[in-house]
């Protein structure tokens, strides 16, 4: 194995480990002591632990994940399953370890739902960004992503986990548990989707100027960004003109404005949000992209 590949694998697994630590802390800190509904197989672990405290939540999750991993092996391949097995084992063991070392006190359930959802979303985004899952319904959601590729992972997880949330509420005999759980679930999926799809934000600029070729050269010189010429026609003048289209990173927006107005103060500039920009200077396409 090449040194570069080994370094990348080690870095990815360290990132998954950090995500697993955050996941376990947020679960024990915010969800368990406040009896907030939690989706997935962890919810089933919470239910069994509620009726019989001697049953460790993490161990239940670990045992119930075995048949799911056997199913996922065929469809997701061994790389995803190995990293998911690592993440699932790490989170399960850490959940039980942290619970054994320290019992977090209860707090205001709304605060627990909000901050628990944020931390859980961050941890899930970290784990999913490296192609892993924590098993359970996360693995089911990863499998559902194959036929429903256009849906964000967070939305798929939210739908799947709602069923377990209702079961948790019934076990705790508390509608509030499910309601707080829905709040936490929504926040966590929004945060997770932001991490997976929103951190690498890009923009697209459309520029109409009297000096299109000089403008293109200046953008290339200052930002190193290529420009595509689109042929347009002015509705008032009826004259043909070149419209410049340029994709760039969010952090370059000030530079692109300065470059455009520096060449032509009268230039017409439109900047739009762009998602999933693939190609040179941006992300490369990966077959198993989420």
């Amino acid at each position: 194995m090449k040194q570069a590949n080994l370094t990348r694998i080690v870095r990815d697994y360290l990132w998954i480990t950090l995500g697993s630590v955050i996941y376990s802390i947020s679960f024990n800190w915010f969800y368990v002591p406040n009896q907030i509904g939690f989706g997935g197989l962890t919810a089933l672990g919470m239910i069994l632990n509620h009726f019989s405290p001697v049953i460790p939540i993490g161990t239940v999750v670990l045992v119930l994940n075995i048949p799911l991993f056997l199913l996922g092996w065929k469809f997701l391949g061994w790389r995803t399953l190995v990293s998911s097995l690592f993440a699932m084992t790490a989170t399960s063991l850490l959940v039980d370890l942290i619970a054994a070392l320290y019992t977090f006190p209860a707090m205001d359930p709304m605060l627990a739902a909000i901050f628990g959802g944020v931390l859980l979303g961050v941890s899930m985004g970290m784990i999913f960004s490296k192609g892993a899952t924590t098993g359970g319904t996360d693995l089911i959601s990863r499998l559902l992503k194959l036929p429903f590729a256009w849906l964000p992972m967070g939305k798929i997880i939210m739908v799947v986990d709602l069923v377990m949330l209702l079961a948790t509420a019934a076990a705790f005999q508390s509608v509030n548990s499910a309601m707080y759980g829905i709040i936490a679930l929504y926040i966590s999926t929004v945060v997770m989707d932001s991490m997976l799809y929103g951190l690498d934000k890009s923009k697209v600029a459309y520029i109409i100027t009297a000096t299109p070729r000089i403008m293109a050269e200046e953008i290339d010189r200052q930002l190193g960004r290529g420009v595509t010429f689109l042929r347009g026609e002015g509705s008032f003048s009826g004259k043909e003109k070149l419209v410049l289209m340029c994709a760039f990173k969010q952090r370059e927006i000030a530079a692109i404005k300065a470059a455009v107005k520096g060449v032509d103060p009268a230039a017409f500039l439109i900047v739009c949000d762009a998602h999933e920009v693939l190609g040179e200077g941006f992300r490369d396409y990966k077959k198993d992209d989420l």
Side-chain angles (χ1 to χ4, degrees), residues 263-277:
V263 173
D264 181 6
F268 193 74
L269 172 65
I270 304 172
V271 177
C272 308
D273 289 331
H275 301 282
E276 297 292 314
V277 181

Side-chain angles (χ1 to χ4, degrees), residues 22 65 167 176 220 235:
I22 297 174
N65 267 291
N176 288 348
D220 180 51
S235 62

Side-chain angles (χ1 to χ4, degrees), residues 13-86:
Y13 275 81
L14 286 175
W15 190 249
I16 292 172
T17 301
L18 179 58
S20 300
V21 171
I22 297 174
Y23 179 101
S24 304
I25 291 174
S26 62
F27 178 73
N28 280 292
W29 188 1
F30 298 108
Y31 287 84
V32 175
N34 301 286
Q35 294 188 341
I36 293 177
F38 194 85
L41 294 183
T42 306
L44 185 55
M46 289 177 69
I47 293 171
L48 294 176
N49 179 263
H50 174 70
F51 290 112
S52 180
V54 297
I55 300 177
I57 296 174
T59 303
V60 172
V61 174
L62 196 61
V63 172
L64 293 177
N65 267 291
I66 294 174
L68 283 176
F69 272 84
L70 293 176
L71 177 65
W73 189 280
K74 176 181 178 181
F75 297 100
L76 298 178
W78 68 271
R79 292 182 184 276
T80 298
L81 266 296
V82 168
S83 60
S84 296
L85 181 61
F86 175 83

Side-chain angles (χ1 to χ4, degrees), residues 60-223:
V60 172
V61 174
L62 196 61
V63 172
L64 293 177
N65 267 291
I66 294 174
L68 283 176
F69 272 84
L70 293 176
L71 177 65
W73 189 280
K74 176 181 178 181
F75 297 100
L76 298 178
W78 68 271
R79 292 182 184 276
T80 298
L81 266 296
V82 168
S83 60
S84 296
L85 181 61
F86 175 83
M88 181 202 68
T89 304
T91 53
S92 299
L93 294 178
L94 285 168
V95 163
D96 288 344
L97 178 62
I98 293 172
L101 293 175
Y102 183 74
T103 301
F104 288 93
M107 65 171 68
D108 183 286
M110 181 59 74
L111 289 177
I114 293 172
F115 287 97
V118 170
L119 278 183
L120 195 75
V122 169
S123 67
M124 294 295 293
M126 293 171 68
I127 293 170
F128 271 98
S129 69
K130 300 304 177 183
T133 73
T134 57
T137 52
D138 294 339
L139 183 53
I140 294 173
S141 300
R142 183 68 180 85
L143 290 167
L144 288 173
K145 180 71 174 176
L146 298 176
F148 301 105
W150 65 90
L151 287 175
M153 275 302 303
K155 299 299 185 294
I156 298 176
I157 289 176
M158 185 164 61
V159 172
V160 174
D161 280 353
L162 278 176
V163 176
M164 294 309 300
L165 268 176
L166 296 177
T168 306
F172 291 141
Q173 296 184 346
S174 170
V175 176
N176 288 348
S177 174
M179 295 174 69
Y180 286 125
I182 291 172
I183 292 172
L185 177 61
Y186 176 77
I187 292 173
S188 67
T189 53
V190 169
V191 172
M192 187 183 76
D193 279 345
S194 296
M195 289 196 67
L196 289 175
Y197 310 114
L199 290 183
D200 189 26
K201 290 184 178 179
S202 300
K203 300 283 187 179
V204 172
Y206 296 94
I207 308 161
I208 302 173
T209 174
T211 57
R213 299 194 183 277
I214 296 175
M215 182 75 70
E217 291 174 0
E218 190 64 17
I219 292 174
D220 180 51
R221 186 184 69 82
Q222 290 194 31
L223 285 86

